[in-house]
Amino acid sequence: MRLRYSRGVLTIAAIVVVLAVAITVGLINLLRTVTPLREVVAGCTVRTPEGELDLDVEQAQVSATIAAVAARRKLPERAVVIAYATALQESKLFNLDHGDRDSLGVFQQRPSQGWGKPKQLMDPVYATNKFFAALVKVKNYRKLPLAEAAQEVQRSAGGYAYAPHEPDAKILAAAFTGRVPRALHCTYPEPAATPSPAARPRTDEARRQLARALGSTAVTTEKRGWLVAAWSVAHAQKYGLRRVDYRGVSWRVEEVSDGWKPGGKSSTTEVVLS
């Protein structure tokens, strides 16, 4: 049996089809223009003339600590480069609670070899001081090939492995020593707009911990100021810091677009944490 449709029914059907197609095309175009929501993942980026590196937050914190300890000991940038290359090989700049045999920490130092007690070696400030204390005893370490200088300290089974990390170590040193301004940017999930008292910035605690590594936190040179600023940005999430200001520019926790922005409220002689 053949079905017959009236002209009105066919017209309505055609209109429905056209509308369905139009709605579908419109939704597709709308989805193309809407920026998808994305979860903000904590992480850091270093940019210097030597190159660019992405870091985990812990790696940035360890890097900042190494540079601060070196500054306290008044060591040259070459010492910092050697330390970074060593730590990259030994732990990838993580503070590991395990390793080969009884090796621990950033530099994988062994309690059984006289480096210190396990709890001490898990403190990056202590571990870095022990590393530098051994490095400065190496004759002409500044002029030695990096792998040779590092091996004199570490006595590793594969001392040759330190050398490939030298380019990345130089990038880190340029940024965290403060030689290159505004080189570090970290992104953290944005805290609540009105934080609870317990979540408010712990600026005093941050400065106390910085002082453990750096000694005096006073800004005496521009380079030292950028070292303090980099340390503060790397530790911002840990201490609830929302912004770091220095020399007329500002890093802000809510700024996920990368970089320091004009409008900092600090002078040239102080790094302001808030």
Side-chain angles (χ1 to χ4, degrees), residues 208-230:
R208 282 196 300 271
Q209 292 304 315
L210 172 60
R212 284 193 66 237
L214 184 60
S216 171
T217 61
V219 173
T220 54
T221 65
E222 182 178 351
K223 179 181 177 182
R224 186 179 177 90
W226 284 115
L227 183 155
V228 171

Side-chain angles (χ1 to χ4, degrees), residues 80-100:
V80 183
V81 171
I82 295 169
Y84 284 148
T86 303
L88 283 165
Q89 172 59 28
E90 297 290 354
S91 68
K92 296 183 180 179
L93 283 169
F94 288 101
N95 192 28
L96 301 179
D97 62 359
H98 60 277
D100 179 49

Side-chain angles (χ1 to χ4, degrees), residues 15-34:
I15 292 172
V16 170
V17 171
V18 170
L19 287 174
V21 172
I23 291 171
T24 301
V25 172
L27 286 173
I28 291 173
N29 289 333
L30 179 62
L31 290 173
R32 287 176 176 172
T33 59
V34 174

